[in-house]
Amino acid sequence: MTDGPDISVKLGNLNLKNPVMTASGTFGYGKEFDSVIDLNRLGGIVVKGISLKPMPGNPPPRIVETPAGMLNAIGLANLGIDGFLKEKLPFLKTLDTKTIVNIYGHSIDEYAELAGVLKGVDGVDAVEINISCPNVDKGGLVFGKDPEVSARVTEAVAGNTDKPVIVKLTPNVSEITVLAKAVEQAGADCISLINTLTGMAIDIETGKPKLGNVSGGLSGPAIKPVALHMVYQAAKAVKIPVIGIGGIMTAEDAIEFLIAGASAVQVGTANFVNPKASIDIIDGLIKYCERKGIGSIQEITGSINVDK
Amino acid sequence: MTDGPDISVKLGNLNLKNPVMTASGTFGYGKEFDSVIDLNRLGGIVVKGISLKPMPGNPPPRIVETPAGMLNAIGLANLGIDGFLKEKLPFLKTLDTKTIVNIYGHSIDEYAELAGVLKGVDGVDAVEINISCPNVDKGGLVFGKDPEVSARVTEAVAGNTDKPVIVKLTPNVSEITVLAKAVEQAGADCISLINTLTGMAIDIETGKPKLGNVSGGLSGPAIKPVALHMVYQAAKAVKIPVIGIGGIMTAEDAIEFLIAGASAVQVGTANFVNPKASIDIIDGLIKYCERKGIGSIQEITGSINVDK
Amino acid sequence: MIEKLCKILSNNQVAPDTYLIRFSSPEIASEAVPGQFVMLRINEGFDPSLRRPFSICGVEGEDVVKILYKVVGKGTKGLTYKDAGDSISVLGPLGKGFSTPDPLKENFLVAGGIGIAPLLFLYQKNKSAKIHFLSGFRTSGEIIDPGTAGFDAEHMIATDDGSAGYDGRVTGLLAEKLEQYKPDDTCVYTCGPHPMLKAVRDECLKNNVPCQVSMETFMACGLGACQGCVVKSDLTAVKTPYLHVCKEGPVFDMNNIDWESK
Amino acid sequence: MIEKLCKILSNNQVAPDTYLIRFSSPEIASEAVPGQFVMLRINEGFDPSLRRPFSICGVEGEDVVKILYKVVGKGTKGLTYKDAGDSISVLGPLGKGFSTPDPLKENFLVAGGIGIAPLLFLYQKNKSAKIHFLSGFRTSGEIIDPGTAGFDAEHMIATDDGSAGYDGRVTGLLAEKLEQYKPDDTCVYTCGPHPMLKAVRDECLKNNVPCQVSMETFMACGLGACQGCVVKSDLTAVKTPYLHVCKEGPVFDMNNIDWESK
Ligand SMILES: Cc1cc2nc3c(=O)[nH]c(=O)nc-3n(C[C@H](O)[C@H](O)[C@H](O)COP(=O)(O)OP(=O)(O)OC[C@H]3O[C@@H](n4cnc5c(N)ncnc54)[C@H](O)[C@@H]3O)c2cc1C
Ligand SMILES: Cc1cc2nc3c(=O)[nH]c(=O)nc-3n(C[C@H](O)[C@H](O)[C@H](O)COP(=O)(O)OP(=O)(O)OC[C@H]3O[C@@H](n4cnc5c(N)ncnc54)[C@H](O)[C@@H]3O)c2cc1C
Ligand SMILES: Cc1cc2nc3c(=O)[nH]c(=O)nc-3n(C[C@H](O)[C@H](O)[C@H](O)COP(=O)(O)O)c2cc1C
Ligand SMILES: Cc1cc2nc3c(=O)[nH]c(=O)nc-3n(C[C@H](O)[C@H](O)[C@H](O)COP(=O)(O)O)c2cc1C
Ligand code: FES
Ligand code: FES
């Protein structure tokens, strides 16, 4: 076959060669997977969450496995924006894929400042805002749980950047649609969801939490049904493109998210289980389109049939 | 050994011979498991959710398996309170265990009416209020997502019953502690959590949701970390006893919930995987107490050690 | 009915993607009637976690129970990893089986693919009755030969592609056969994929022949507790809108099912 | 480094709860250095889902890689179900191994229980060096005999309960031996449970002997990407507060680790 299906996607003005990105925190800064897969095949790489200053992260243990999933409490350990630009971006720039920088701040000002530092930086194709972290100004309440605060973070970043802005939503809320609409109105070009569900595990011999940080974020196949439902709801609620995340291990999983309304997906925990997962998913998407006679993968987005 | 550990627990004025109940909707009306286990060994049986009138439930498919879990959209099918009292309660009364009636209404009045019907009824040891269902008066919004409405449902039931009132919380909220405190103040004698997380699954061949009802409730080991964390948070927030539910498959799981702050547990999806799960858990709790030299199981509740 | 760890005696491939597993359970072997099923726990982990339902396809002597299964997904795939000597957790026998064939009637057993399983047991238990065993497969390569599964059942075969036996669907073969007998003297027992069951039912309806159908749905408990396994009922025949396949079935009178829904 | 399905050549029990698995991987066999590890995917399902890390305990010829593992939970239990002929997904070799023993020095390999695994490989690759192989077990019944795993390593055994060899902990045996040599002429390589590593380190510190420790933590990626596998570093020796066991380790200079935290 000379003409395969067109699997490129447009997320506003961010064009990806295919809808498969790797999720923040699960793929380092790309380089870590260089010897296992051809990074140039990826639709995009979302790097580990970056803050203004370097952060050491949480005390160990930082991860614990759970049935069909894992809890992590890495504590957003990272080398800071300056370190990232100096040590990590140059390698990413050599790749034929998009680099999306996931950022987080401890205050709205920090988010704005981070956006400012990235303004005009060559090789950074989009900014993804992680709003699932504690807001120091509000006594540690998670930004993303409050639609209004989330909107203000979005505004602050959107007003200070020349890059497409993706807002990454937390699933630990009552109404994902309210949050999705709030950040859409505040200027998000795109939303991505879900971040991890909050969870914990206890060692019954010692009575201690299994994570050094007491609680952590649940990811992996266990959360896929929850993620899929939130993506379905969010995609109906907003007009901007939606990126589906949560427990995507196979092409079949990715297709479910596209059908539910996502325009692209991010692959997280799967990278640990199968370091080639993202490539396998891209291959699987192509096969699916071919088998179903789908000319462009964008046709799948939101094609869910809910007639009872 | 003549004197085993004391595994009885007190939930306010509801005394259970052990902390293990079977969760609503996963154990029918008890009778279904009669030939597989000795029902008299159970701490309690929470029956399938009962409404004023018989309800047919949702169109099939009603269940779909997911990694380490399942989605259900039974649609609260039940034979109605009158049918329950006539056809199901007599058998439950012959058992040496506690019967807890899980109730749900489509309006606050219906909840109150249900409580009224159960008032003084012999053989009903407690009422568990399921607030994870759509409120017809509020355009189908789930009662339990709104702390204020949840409080009013609690008041309506508590003011119209002579039984201990357990309020069963939905996990699909931003702050479980707000909900927990609201129903405590409104007169709940006890809270139980979690009900299922909302989720969905899609058949990629047909593009249709795998559940007749589009979305459903996720249960099983997949949700245990989320449930455990919410129980931990809720137990710190309220003074009334907490019943832990969510993905409890083994005695080890049950002990985690007790350590996190639960005074008792309910076993749900595990009954499908291992119909003897509840009995195995009771046996495991006894062994754990013996091995650890714990005289009364109540000592475990809330014994979590979070010194970092 | 029991829930027990049973010793596996053998677990061998008998046709493409099709295996026969034999395990020891005196309780089930003595109690089970054709059409009943068991729920098997596939593994110790929780993916998959729910038990899988399988019809009993036969018993041997006092304590051997046989299951014929086709690999369609991760549960059935997992089952193929079990070896003789391993143990497996079995819950059963469950559900309501076929009513016993009338020895004075012409009894048609109509199987579609792996749906042959419960009908083999029905055949085994009713050798003295007049049995016509018809089974349909997509193609000759997929034929499940009762002989390889240890049964002496003789069956008339239909293949959709005509590569063996009757050329066409098994319902075509059934139609031909039914013509030869009086409706009052005939009875049909069937199991197979849903569209095939519907076609058999249409044929029986047309010919005015009674028909018992073994249905399949997803199941969680198998005990009538979860209400997950329902099919829509025909409200002109049944009072409740849904029927529980695990408890009121899996075998139903064809008239009790709403064949238009689904 | 590769990620590939590798053919299993054998998987046999060699001591109580302890198995030796051999698989074919020319890439890993040629590339691996002692102390490096691989991540194995246990099964197709997702419970467990994360890969499990295992030290390479040896290679045979050009393409056989050997892992010695102890059953402690569902992952290692699942591994025992693999048979010769099955395939297993292997990622590796990963991490930084031991530095090569100085042929002019007295090299002490100190193993605790299953911690013997990477030290066997170190021994195998450095037969010309002066090696003292000490290994400790709780009791004689738990001794892992290198011979049964196909190694000719001779080791001095210590058992906590004195049921075989030296009566006491392996660190006691080490202390006795270290007395016989000058600190400058000695080097220690160790792997085992955390408390034992700490005791070995204390002994080395006391005797002023350099020591390389192979550490264990939970791991998700094994590639330095997730930052899940950290241990606290000794900030007087290292600039960053945490060290990644999968990338900067699993073998560390004892001085780089903060032994007071856990
Ligand atoms: C009462 C009863 C008796 C049965 N007897 C037999 C038997 O004797 N031999 C046999 O091989 N199978 C039998 N089945 C079907 C068997 O239970 C399923 O094939 C099995 O559960 C599939 O599990 P899996 O994990 O391999 O497939 P999954 O991964 O769960 O599913 C694979 C595919 O099969 C479909 N599927 C799964 N379960 C069912 C079901 N219950 N009905 C329809 N489609 C389904 C799924 O939609 C999916 O497309 C019976 C089912 C019932 C309800
Ligand atoms: C670099 C490295 C090399 C290793 N080499 C070997 C080896 O050669 N042979 C071998 O048998 N094992 C080795 N291990 C340990 C092995 O990875 C674990 O025993 C295994 O992952 C346990 O998996 P499981 O599912 O059986 O146990 P789980 O069910 O995950 O856990 C069972 C018990 O073991 C504990 N545990 C699990 N993993 C670890 C760990 N990484 N560190 C400490 N405690 C743990 C858990 O807390 C739990 O109490 C190595 C670990 C690392 C990090
Ligand atoms: C180890 C780990 C680290 C993560 N770090 C980040 C992060 O820094 N920023 C962020 O937005 N999300 C982070 N996430 C969340 C993932 O990007 C993703 O949203 C989540 O894991 C759900 O997807 P999955 O189930 O495919 O893993 C992290 C997840 C894991 C497992
Ligand atoms: C099939 C099914 C039916 C259920 N029906 C009810 C119900 O009627 N009322 C209710 O309060 N909870 C119901 N639940 C929720 C369970 O009681 C329990 O809260 C939930 O499943 C989480 O526990 P688990 O993971 O142990 O199953 C149902 C759950 C399942 C799986
Ligand atoms: S499978 Fe649970 S009621 Fe039928
Ligand atoms: S295991 Fe992922 S960084 Fe070490």
mmCIF file of all heavy atoms in Angstrom, chain B residues 28 32-33 35 56 58-60 62-63 65 68 74 77 272-273 276, chain C residues 1 3 41 46 49-52 219-221 223 226-227 230 241-242:
data_model
loop_
_atom_site.group_PDB
_atom_site.id
_atom_site.type_symbol
_atom_site.label_atom_id
_atom_site.label_comp_id
_atom_site.label_asym_id
_atom_site.label_seq_id
_atom_site.Cartn_x
_atom_site.Cartn_y
_atom_site.Cartn_z
ATOM 1 N N GLY B 28 -26.960 -9.686 46.703
ATOM 2 C CA GLY B 28 -28.390 -9.886 46.588
ATOM 3 C C GLY B 28 -29.076 -9.606 47.917
ATOM 4 O O GLY B 28 -28.845 -8.569 48.548
ATOM 5 N N GLU B 32 -28.945 -15.751 48.140
ATOM 6 C CA GLU B 32 -28.224 -16.196 46.938
ATOM 7 C C GLU B 32 -26.902 -16.886 47.279
ATOM 8 O O GLU B 32 -26.411 -17.708 46.513
ATOM 9 C CB GLU B 32 -27.955 -15.002 46.005
ATOM 10 C CG GLU B 32 -29.204 -14.394 45.375
ATOM 11 C CD GLU B 32 -29.903 -13.355 46.264
ATOM 12 O OE1 GLU B 32 -29.590 -13.292 47.481
ATOM 13 O OE2 GLU B 32 -30.760 -12.630 45.749
ATOM 14 N N PHE B 33 -26.307 -16.514 48.426
ATOM 15 C CA PHE B 33 -25.010 -17.093 48.802
ATOM 16 C C PHE B 33 -25.156 -18.172 49.870
ATOM 17 O O PHE B 33 -24.158 -18.685 50.386
ATOM 18 C CB PHE B 33 -24.053 -15.992 49.294
ATOM 19 C CG PHE B 33 -23.457 -15.176 48.184
ATOM 20 C CD1 PHE B 33 -24.203 -14.218 47.518
ATOM 21 C CD2 PHE B 33 -22.138 -15.369 47.777
ATOM 22 C CE1 PHE B 33 -23.655 -13.459 46.476
ATOM 23 C CE2 PHE B 33 -21.589 -14.622 46.748
ATOM 24 C CZ PHE B 33 -22.350 -13.666 46.093
ATOM 25 N N SER B 35 -25.986 -21.273 49.904
ATOM 26 C CA SER B 35 -25.433 -22.617 49.726
ATOM 27 C C SER B 35 -23.911 -22.602 49.594
ATOM 28 O O SER B 35 -23.277 -23.646 49.562
ATOM 29 C CB SER B 35 -26.052 -23.305 48.513
ATOM 30 O OG SER B 35 -26.015 -22.454 47.405
ATOM 31 N N PRO B 56 -37.220 -1.798 37.269
ATOM 32 C CA PRO B 56 -36.751 -2.849 36.368
ATOM 33 C C PRO B 56 -35.238 -2.832 36.157
ATOM 34 O O PRO B 56 -34.640 -3.856 35.865
ATOM 35 C CB PRO B 56 -37.464 -2.528 35.051
ATOM 36 C CG PRO B 56 -37.744 -1.051 35.115
ATOM 37 C CD PRO B 56 -37.941 -0.727 36.560
ATOM 38 N N ASN B 58 -31.609 -1.134 34.288
ATOM 39 C CA ASN B 58 -31.167 -0.680 32.972
ATOM 40 C C ASN B 58 -31.194 -1.791 31.936
ATOM 41 O O ASN B 58 -31.120 -2.967 32.268
ATOM 42 C CB ASN B 58 -29.730 -0.157 33.076
ATOM 43 C CG ASN B 58 -29.671 1.202 33.741
ATOM 44 O OD1 ASN B 58 -30.592 2.006 33.615
ATOM 45 N ND2 ASN B 58 -28.599 1.442 34.467
ATOM 46 N N PRO B 59 -31.234 -1.380 30.657
ATOM 47 C CA PRO B 59 -31.115 -2.373 29.582
ATOM 48 C C PRO B 59 -29.713 -2.992 29.588
ATOM 49 O O PRO B 59 -28.756 -2.330 29.965
ATOM 50 C CB PRO B 59 -31.330 -1.547 28.308
ATOM 51 C CG PRO B 59 -31.050 -0.134 28.691
ATOM 52 C CD PRO B 59 -31.410 -0.011 30.132
ATOM 53 N N PRO B 60 -29.584 -4.240 29.161
ATOM 54 C CA PRO B 60 -28.265 -4.860 29.077
ATOM 55 C C PRO B 60 -27.480 -4.283 27.898
ATOM 56 O O PRO B 60 -28.082 -3.679 27.026
ATOM 57 C CB PRO B 60 -28.576 -6.333 28.863
ATOM 58 C CG PRO B 60 -29.951 -6.397 28.295
ATOM 59 C CD PRO B 60 -30.666 -5.136 28.755
ATOM 60 N N ARG B 62 -25.242 -4.879 31.255
ATOM 61 C CA ARG B 62 -25.195 -4.171 32.527
ATOM 62 C C ARG B 62 -23.835 -4.234 33.198
ATOM 63 O O ARG B 62 -23.597 -3.509 34.164
ATOM 64 C CB ARG B 62 -26.217 -4.778 33.483
ATOM 65 C CG ARG B 62 -27.645 -4.471 33.114
ATOM 66 C CD ARG B 62 -28.566 -5.089 34.148
ATOM 67 N NE ARG B 62 -29.952 -4.705 33.946
ATOM 68 C CZ ARG B 62 -30.941 -5.112 34.730
ATOM 69 N NH1 ARG B 62 -30.677 -5.916 35.764
ATOM 70 N NH2 ARG B 62 -32.172 -4.730 34.495
ATOM 71 N N ILE B 63 -22.990 -5.137 32.773
ATOM 72 C CA ILE B 63 -21.669 -5.228 33.381
ATOM 73 C C ILE B 63 -20.607 -5.417 32.303
ATOM 74 O O ILE B 63 -20.876 -5.951 31.230
ATOM 75 C CB ILE B 63 -21.551 -6.398 34.392
ATOM 76 C CG1 ILE B 63 -22.049 -7.707 33.781
ATOM 77 C CG2 ILE B 63 -22.286 -6.108 35.667
ATOM 78 C CD1 ILE B 63 -21.895 -8.910 34.692
ATOM 79 N N GLU B 65 -16.192 -6.156 32.305
ATOM 80 C CA GLU B 65 -14.984 -6.268 33.103
ATOM 81 C C GLU B 65 -13.948 -5.261 32.629
ATOM 82 O O GLU B 65 -13.889 -4.931 31.446
ATOM 83 C CB GLU B 65 -14.411 -7.680 33.002
ATOM 84 C CG GLU B 65 -13.436 -7.972 34.115
ATOM 85 C CD GLU B 65 -12.833 -9.352 34.015
ATOM 86 O OE1 GLU B 65 -12.713 -9.856 32.889
ATOM 87 O OE2 GLU B 65 -12.488 -9.919 35.046
ATOM 88 N N ALA B 68 -8.550 -5.406 36.645
ATOM 89 C CA ALA B 68 -8.684 -5.438 38.104
ATOM 90 C C ALA B 68 -9.963 -4.771 38.606
ATOM 91 O O ALA B 68 -10.002 -4.246 39.722
ATOM 92 C CB ALA B 68 -7.456 -4.825 38.784
ATOM 93 N N ILE B 74 -26.361 -1.533 36.696
ATOM 94 C CA ILE B 74 -27.540 -2.365 36.961
ATOM 95 C C ILE B 74 -28.788 -1.489 36.915
ATOM 96 O O ILE B 74 -29.864 -1.932 36.544
ATOM 97 C CB ILE B 74 -27.419 -3.042 38.356
ATOM 98 C CG1 ILE B 74 -26.101 -3.808 38.491
ATOM 99 C CG2 ILE B 74 -28.624 -3.928 38.634
ATOM 100 C CD1 ILE B 74 -25.904 -4.957 37.554
ATOM 101 N N ALA B 77 -31.936 -1.949 39.922
ATOM 102 C CA ALA B 77 -33.068 -2.878 39.797
ATOM 103 C C ALA B 77 -33.396 -3.477 41.159
ATOM 104 O O ALA B 77 -32.514 -3.965 41.848
ATOM 105 C CB ALA B 77 -32.698 -3.991 38.818
ATOM 106 N N PHE B 272 -17.920 -11.831 43.942
ATOM 107 C CA PHE B 272 -18.063 -12.441 42.615
ATOM 108 C C PHE B 272 -16.827 -13.275 42.283
ATOM 109 O O PHE B 272 -16.924 -14.339 41.686
ATOM 110 C CB PHE B 272 -18.241 -11.375 41.527
ATOM 111 C CG PHE B 272 -19.339 -10.376 41.802
ATOM 112 C CD1 PHE B 272 -19.262 -9.081 41.305
ATOM 113 C CD2 PHE B 272 -20.456 -10.737 42.551
ATOM 114 C CE1 PHE B 272 -20.269 -8.159 41.539
ATOM 115 C CE2 PHE B 272 -21.466 -9.818 42.795
ATOM 116 C CZ PHE B 272 -21.365 -8.523 42.290
ATOM 117 N N VAL B 273 -15.675 -12.746 42.663
ATOM 118 C CA VAL B 273 -14.413 -13.408 42.335
ATOM 119 C C VAL B 273 -14.237 -14.647 43.218
ATOM 120 O O VAL B 273 -13.834 -15.708 42.769
ATOM 121 C CB VAL B 273 -13.239 -12.424 42.531
ATOM 122 C CG1 VAL B 273 -11.916 -13.101 42.255
ATOM 123 C CG2 VAL B 273 -13.436 -11.199 41.639
ATOM 124 N N LYS B 276 -16.527 -16.952 48.748
ATOM 125 C CA LYS B 276 -16.220 -17.118 50.172
ATOM 126 C C LYS B 276 -15.366 -15.979 50.703
ATOM 127 O O LYS B 276 -14.846 -16.056 51.820
ATOM 128 C CB LYS B 276 -15.475 -18.443 50.385
ATOM 129 C CG LYS B 276 -16.348 -19.666 50.169
ATOM 130 C CD LYS B 276 -15.551 -20.951 50.329
ATOM 131 C CE LYS B 276 -16.446 -22.157 50.081
ATOM 132 N NZ LYS B 276 -15.697 -23.313 49.539
ATOM 133 N N MET C 1 -24.714 -27.377 45.161
ATOM 134 C CA MET C 1 -23.785 -26.421 44.538
ATOM 135 C C MET C 1 -22.590 -26.183 45.461
ATOM 136 O O MET C 1 -22.757 -26.045 46.663
ATOM 137 C CB MET C 1 -24.538 -25.109 44.293
ATOM 138 C CG MET C 1 -23.763 -24.137 43.476
ATOM 139 S SD MET C 1 -23.583 -22.622 44.377
ATOM 140 C CE MET C 1 -25.316 -22.177 44.636
ATOM 141 N N GLU C 3 -18.355 -24.469 45.911
ATOM 142 C CA GLU C 3 -17.245 -23.626 45.442
ATOM 143 C C GLU C 3 -16.006 -24.286 46.000
ATOM 144 O O GLU C 3 -15.845 -24.375 47.221
ATOM 145 C CB GLU C 3 -17.391 -22.201 45.944
ATOM 146 C CG GLU C 3 -16.419 -21.223 45.300
ATOM 147 C CD GLU C 3 -15.013 -21.229 45.917
ATOM 148 O OE1 GLU C 3 -14.915 -21.258 47.152
ATOM 149 O OE2 GLU C 3 -14.029 -21.245 45.171
ATOM 150 N N ARG C 41 -12.581 -19.679 38.066
ATOM 151 C CA ARG C 41 -11.666 -18.568 38.340
ATOM 152 C C ARG C 41 -10.390 -18.826 37.559
ATOM 153 O O ARG C 41 -9.777 -19.883 37.685
ATOM 154 C CB ARG C 41 -11.374 -18.490 39.830
ATOM 155 C CG ARG C 41 -10.461 -17.337 40.134
ATOM 156 C CD ARG C 41 -10.597 -16.832 41.533
ATOM 157 N NE ARG C 41 -9.663 -15.724 41.721
ATOM 158 C CZ ARG C 41 -9.257 -15.305 42.898
ATOM 159 N NH1 ARG C 41 -9.698 -15.889 43.996
ATOM 160 N NH2 ARG C 41 -8.420 -14.295 42.987
ATOM 161 N N PHE C 46 -5.789 -10.252 39.559
ATOM 162 C CA PHE C 46 -7.093 -9.635 39.330
ATOM 163 C C PHE C 46 -7.262 -9.089 37.926
ATOM 164 O O PHE C 46 -8.065 -8.190 37.693
ATOM 165 C CB PHE C 46 -7.336 -8.548 40.381
ATOM 166 C CG PHE C 46 -7.404 -9.104 41.772
ATOM 167 C CD1 PHE C 46 -6.539 -8.673 42.760
ATOM 168 C CD2 PHE C 46 -8.326 -10.091 42.094
ATOM 169 C CE1 PHE C 46 -6.597 -9.193 44.045
ATOM 170 C CE2 PHE C 46 -8.409 -10.623 43.373
ATOM 171 C CZ PHE C 46 -7.533 -10.172 44.351
ATOM 172 N N SER C 49 -10.320 -10.677 36.643
ATOM 173 C CA SER C 49 -10.710 -11.039 38.007
ATOM 174 C C SER C 49 -12.004 -11.840 38.054
ATOM 175 O O SER C 49 -12.114 -12.797 38.810
ATOM 176 C CB SER C 49 -10.829 -9.784 38.873
ATOM 177 O OG SER C 49 -11.762 -8.871 38.343
ATOM 178 N N LEU C 50 -12.979 -11.458 37.254
ATOM 179 C CA LEU C 50 -14.279 -12.145 37.314
ATOM 180 C C LEU C 50 -14.159 -13.574 36.801
ATOM 181 O O LEU C 50 -13.377 -13.865 35.898
ATOM 182 C CB LEU C 50 -15.324 -11.392 36.484
ATOM 183 C CG LEU C 50 -15.697 -9.995 36.985
ATOM 184 C CD1 LEU C 50 -16.707 -9.352 36.042
ATOM 185 C CD2 LEU C 50 -16.259 -10.040 38.402
ATOM 186 N N ARG C 51 -14.941 -14.444 37.395
ATOM 187 C CA ARG C 51 -15.008 -15.819 36.911
ATOM 188 C C ARG C 51 -15.606 -15.852 35.507
ATOM 189 O O ARG C 51 -16.331 -14.944 35.117
ATOM 190 C CB ARG C 51 -15.881 -16.653 37.845
ATOM 191 C CG ARG C 51 -15.220 -16.939 39.167
ATOM 192 C CD ARG C 51 -16.192 -17.414 40.204
ATOM 193 N NE ARG C 51 -15.459 -17.645 41.438
ATOM 194 C CZ ARG C 51 -14.939 -18.815 41.790
ATOM 195 N NH1 ARG C 51 -15.145 -19.882 41.042
ATOM 196 N NH2 ARG C 51 -14.248 -18.935 42.895
ATOM 197 N N ARG C 52 -15.351 -16.941 34.804
ATOM 198 C CA ARG C 52 -15.907 -17.115 33.467
ATOM 199 C C ARG C 52 -16.879 -18.295 33.478
ATOM 200 O O ARG C 52 -16.560 -19.342 34.042
ATOM 201 C CB ARG C 52 -14.800 -17.394 32.456
ATOM 202 C CG ARG C 52 -13.783 -16.260 32.298
ATOM 203 C CD ARG C 52 -14.432 -15.017 31.699
ATOM 204 N NE ARG C 52 -13.509 -14.007 31.236
ATOM 205 C CZ ARG C 52 -13.200 -12.902 31.908
ATOM 206 N NH1 ARG C 52 -13.694 -12.660 33.099
ATOM 207 N NH2 ARG C 52 -12.372 -12.014 31.370
ATOM 208 N N MET C 219 -21.443 -12.303 32.889
ATOM 209 C CA MET C 219 -21.895 -12.620 34.249
ATOM 210 C C MET C 219 -20.855 -12.181 35.259
ATOM 211 O O MET C 219 -19.665 -12.229 34.970
ATOM 212 C CB MET C 219 -22.087 -14.125 34.390
ATOM 213 C CG MET C 219 -23.217 -14.664 33.571
ATOM 214 S SD MET C 219 -23.478 -16.408 33.925
ATOM 215 C CE MET C 219 -24.951 -16.660 32.929
ATOM 216 N N ALA C 220 -21.326 -11.776 36.421
ATOM 217 C CA ALA C 220 -20.372 -11.477 37.493
ATOM 218 C C ALA C 220 -20.477 -12.558 38.564
ATOM 219 O O ALA C 220 -19.516 -13.256 38.841
ATOM 220 C CB ALA C 220 -20.624 -10.096 38.076
ATOM 221 N N CYS C 221 -21.678 -12.751 39.131
ATOM 222 C CA CYS C 221 -21.779 -13.659 40.286
ATOM 223 C C CYS C 221 -22.177 -15.078 39.904
ATOM 224 O O CYS C 221 -21.752 -16.032 40.538
ATOM 225 C CB CYS C 221 -22.756 -13.103 41.317
ATOM 226 S SG CYS C 221 -24.484 -13.119 40.798
ATOM 227 N N LEU C 223 -24.923 -16.297 40.540
ATOM 228 C CA LEU C 223 -25.767 -16.790 41.639
ATOM 229 C C LEU C 223 -27.103 -16.059 41.744
ATOM 230 O O LEU C 223 -27.857 -16.280 42.684
ATOM 231 C CB LEU C 223 -25.019 -16.628 42.967
ATOM 232 C CG LEU C 223 -23.729 -17.437 43.136
ATOM 233 C CD1 LEU C 223 -22.942 -16.935 44.348
ATOM 234 C CD2 LEU C 223 -24.047 -18.922 43.278
ATOM 235 N N CYS C 226 -26.151 -10.318 41.488
ATOM 236 C CA CYS C 226 -25.697 -9.016 40.993
ATOM 237 C C CYS C 226 -26.638 -8.380 39.976
ATOM 238 O O CYS C 226 -26.575 -7.191 39.729
ATOM 239 C CB CYS C 226 -24.300 -9.140 40.391
ATOM 240 S SG CYS C 226 -24.242 -9.955 38.775
ATOM 241 N N GLN C 227 -27.499 -9.164 39.368
ATOM 242 C CA GLN C 227 -28.428 -8.709 38.339
ATOM 243 C C GLN C 227 -27.715 -8.185 37.097
ATOM 244 O O GLN C 227 -28.270 -7.368 36.359
ATOM 245 C CB GLN C 227 -29.369 -7.639 38.904
ATOM 246 C CG GLN C 227 -30.005 -8.092 40.209
ATOM 247 C CD GLN C 227 -31.275 -7.357 40.509
ATOM 248 O OE1 GLN C 227 -32.190 -7.311 39.694
ATOM 249 N NE2 GLN C 227 -31.350 -6.768 41.688
ATOM 250 N N VAL C 230 -28.771 -9.963 32.723
ATOM 251 C CA VAL C 230 -30.142 -10.062 32.222
ATOM 252 C C VAL C 230 -30.260 -10.001 30.696
ATOM 253 O O VAL C 230 -29.419 -9.440 30.008
ATOM 254 C CB VAL C 230 -31.030 -8.942 32.814
ATOM 255 C CG1 VAL C 230 -31.103 -9.061 34.326
ATOM 256 C CG2 VAL C 230 -30.534 -7.584 32.378
ATOM 257 N N PRO C 241 -39.702 -7.638 33.339
ATOM 258 C CA PRO C 241 -39.121 -7.131 32.088
ATOM 259 C C PRO C 241 -37.788 -7.782 31.719
ATOM 260 O O PRO C 241 -37.416 -7.778 30.558
ATOM 261 C CB PRO C 241 -38.938 -5.635 32.353
ATOM 262 C CG PRO C 241 -38.947 -5.487 33.839
ATOM 263 C CD PRO C 241 -39.782 -6.588 34.383
ATOM 264 N N TYR C 242 -37.071 -8.285 32.719
ATOM 265 C CA TYR C 242 -35.775 -8.899 32.436
ATOM 266 C C TYR C 242 -35.695 -10.289 33.056
ATOM 267 O O TYR C 242 -36.303 -10.548 34.097
ATOM 268 C CB TYR C 242 -34.633 -8.033 32.998
ATOM 269 C CG TYR C 242 -34.517 -6.694 32.323
ATOM 270 C CD1 TYR C 242 -34.887 -5.526 32.992
ATOM 271 C CD2 TYR C 242 -34.032 -6.586 31.019
ATOM 272 C CE1 TYR C 242 -34.779 -4.288 32.371
ATOM 273 C CE2 TYR C 242 -33.934 -5.348 30.385
ATOM 274 C CZ TYR C 242 -34.308 -4.210 31.066
ATOM 275 O OH TYR C 242 -34.207 -2.989 30.454
#
